[in-house]
């Protein structure tokens, strides 16, 4: 295990921790719409996003899946999607996945994430 992300609120249980090992199974082999955040533990913007991401995951449960990848550890998946800055959020559309991801271009709080994902 690694270190946690310091005392932020929100229910982390609704967001899924994604890794190089489980990404294909959970995201690519799923029919669900996924929003995936690629983050770095030291990234200030990522820490600010964490509680919003957690509440959006709770709010969207059953409609959209939210996952997070520590891109400093899981470099294979981060490299595949060209992640260069943090946080980077990619959208994997519902239905059969072809390996392509869309860019998330919404705002960074839970009030923005939900409507963007459902829009």
């Amino acid at each position: 295990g690694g270190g946690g992300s310091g005392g932020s609120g929100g229910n982390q249980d609704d967001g899924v921790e994604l890794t190089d090992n489980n990404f294909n199974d959970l995201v690519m082999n799923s029919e669900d719409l996924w929003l995936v955040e690629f983050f770095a533990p030291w990234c200030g913007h990522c820490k600010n996003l964490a509680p919003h991401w957690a509440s959006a995951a709770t709010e969207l449960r059953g409609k959209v899946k939210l996952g997070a990848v520590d891109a400093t550890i899981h470099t294979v998946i981060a490299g595949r999607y060209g992640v260069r800055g943090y946080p980077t959020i990619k959208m994997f559309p519902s239905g059969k996945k072809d390996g392509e991801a869309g860019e998330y271009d919404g705002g960074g709080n839970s009030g923005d994430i939900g409507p963007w994902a459902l829009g």
Side-chain angles (χ1 to χ4, degrees), residues 8-96:
S8 62
N11 183 2
Q12 294 299 122
D13 295 347
D14 292 316
V16 180
E17 186 180 337
L18 297 168
T19 68
D20 284 340
N21 295 329
N22 70 10
F23 188 86
N24 281 344
D25 273 353
L26 294 177
V27 178
M28 301 317 260
N29 294 338
S30 132
E31 296 280 315
D32 298 309
L33 168 65
W34 278 83
L35 287 178
V36 177
E37 175 202 3
F38 293 86
F39 71 93
W42 43 259
C43 158
H45 289 298
C46 303
K47 289 177 182 159
N48 294 340
L49 176 62
H52 298 289
W53 196 250
S55 49
T58 301
E59 187 186 310
L60 294 169
R61 186 181 336 158
K63 300 183 205 79
V64 178
K65 298 220 167 145
L66 271 69
V69 176
D70 182 339
T72 66
I73 295 173
H74 305 290
T75 54
V76 173
I77 209 71
R80 183 186 305 167
Y81 292 103
V83 173
R84 287 180 193 76
Y86 308 108
T88 292
I89 299 173
K90 299 282 187 183
M91 185 271 296
F92 296 85
S94 54
K96 184 127 179 65

Side-chain angles (χ1 to χ4, degrees), residues 99-117:
E100 295 300 305
E103 295 293 331
Y104 172 81
D105 55 8
N109 68 50
S110 53
D112 299 324
I113 297 166
W116 187 94

